Amino acid sequence: MISTILKRLGISLATIFGASLFAFILLRKVPGDPARAIAGDTATPETIAALRKSMGLDENIFVQYGKYLESILHGDFGFSYSTGNSVGTLLAQRLPATLELGLLSVVIAIAVAVLSASIAVYSRRRWPDRALRIVSSVAMGSPPFWIALLALMVLSIQFGIFPGPEGRLSPGLAAPPKVTGLFTVDSLLAGQWGTFGNAVWHLVLPALVVALGPFAFLSRLYRNQLRGTLRETFVTVARSHGLQRFPVYNRHVAPHGLLALLPAASLLFADLLAGSLLVEKVFGWPGIGSMTADAIIQKDFAVVQAVLLLAAILYVVVSLLADLLMTAADPRTRVGAR
C-alpha cells in the first residue's frame, strides 16, 4: 500500500511539473506582446522595452521558467500587471467564489444523476430511461455559455425568478464577516439569514448551469454501471434465494454503481473549478474563471500561469485522493490483487 502511494505521488509530481512547463511555453508562443498590451498602444518603444525587461521577457525562455519555478517554490505566484496586485492576493480573493459554485454544482450533479439513473434503471417502464438518455444527450451537446445566456434570458429577465448577472449578492448588500470566504457558510456562521437567502438566490442558477454537463456524464455512467451490475451472477443468485427486488437493488446493485461513480465525480469536481470560465463571465460571478478570461484578453501571463498551475494541482490531488479511496474501498483495485 505504501509503495502504491509513493508511486502515485511521484506520478502526480511529474504531471504537475509537465503541466506547468507546457503552460509556460504555450503562453509565450501566443501571438502578441504582453508588454505592449499592458503598456498600451500609445507607449513608446523605450517604455515597452523597459517593461519587457522588468517582466523578464527579454531572457531565454528556459531561464524564465527556472526563475518562475524558484518563485513558485517560495510561494510567490508573480505580479499581475493588469490589476496592480500580486497573483497570490487575486487567487485568495477569487478562489472562494469559484469553490462555492463548484461545490454546489457537483452536489447537484451527483444527486440528480444518481436519482434519475436509479429511477430509469429500477423502473420497469421504458419512458424514464428514454427521457434520461434524451436529456443527457442534449445536455452534453449544449455549450455551457449558451445555456447560461438562455437561462438568464428566460429565468431572470423574462420571469424574474433568479437575479441577473449581479455577482454573489445583490447590489448594496454587504458581504458577511469573512471566515471561509463562502458567503453561504459565513452568513450562517454570523446568523445573517437574509444574507444567506440572498447568497443562495444568486448561487442556484449558475450552479445549475455548471452542473448540467457533469450531470449528463454521471447519469449515463451510473445508468450503464447499474444495468451491467444487474446482469451479474451474484444478483441472479440473490434473487434465486428469494430476496425481493428492492433489497437486492439497494444492498448489492446501487453500492457497486456508486463505487464506480467516485473517481469520475472527483475528477469532474476539479474540472468544474477549472472550467467554469465562460459561465462565470456570463453571470458576472467574481471567481477564478472570470478572472482568467480577463487575464487572457489582457495577456497577463502571471495570472493565467497561476490558474493553470492551480488547476493542474487540483486535478492531480483530487485524482490521487480518488485512487486512494478506491484502493481502500475495493481490494480488487490494489496492486497485486487477483
Side-chain angles (χ1 to χ4, degrees), residues 98-99 101-114 136 139-140 144 207 209-222 258 260-277 311 314-323:
T98 297
L99 186 62
L101 178 61
L103 284 172
L104 182 59
S105 299
V106 77
V107 168
I108 292 174
I110 293 175
V112 178
V114 169
S136 61
M140 292 182 72
V209 174
V210 173
L212 194 59
F215 151 75
F217 175 77
L218 293 176
S219 61
R220 286 198 168 199
L221 176 64
Y222 192 56
L258 291 174
L261 207 63
L262 176 63
S266 61
L267 294 180
L268 281 175
F269 174 66
D271 285 342
L272 288 178
L273 293 184
S276 56
L277 186 149
L314 181 65
Y315 193 88
V316 168
V317 169
V318 172
S319 176
L320 179 61
L321 291 176
D323 285 345

Side-chain angles (χ1 to χ4, degrees), residues 78-209:
F79 184 79
S80 170
Y81 286 86
S82 62
T83 64
N85 296 311
S86 69
V87 177
T89 301
L90 293 176
L91 291 176
Q93 293 173 349
R94 297 293 193 111
L95 185 58
T98 297
L99 186 62
E100 188 171 41
L101 178 61
L103 284 172
L104 182 59
S105 299
V106 77
V107 168
I108 292 174
I110 293 175
V112 178
V114 169
L115 180 62
S116 58
S118 299
I119 293 174
V121 173
Y122 187 78
S123 176
R124 296 182 183 275
R125 301 177 181 179
R126 292 185 177 180
W127 70 264
D129 186 64
R130 188 173 300 173
L132 176 62
R133 283 184 291 170
I134 293 174
V135 171
S136 61
S137 296
V138 172
M140 292 182 72
S142 301
F145 72 91
W146 182 81
I147 296 293
L149 290 171
L150 186 64
L152 273 178
M153 290 176 60
V154 176
L155 299 178
S156 177
I157 298 175
Q158 186 69 28
F159 294 104
I161 300 175
F162 295 101
E166 300 174 347
R168 303 174 73 183
L169 292 172
S170 296
L173 188 62
K178 186 175 182 180
V179 179
T180 65
L182 311 181
F183 282 4
T184 51
V185 176
D186 290 349
S187 58
L188 285 178
L189 294 176
Q192 299 177 353
W193 300 104
T195 305
F196 171 76
N198 192 271
V200 172
W201 187 42
H202 283 75
L203 181 61
V204 168
L205 187 58
L208 287 173
V209 174

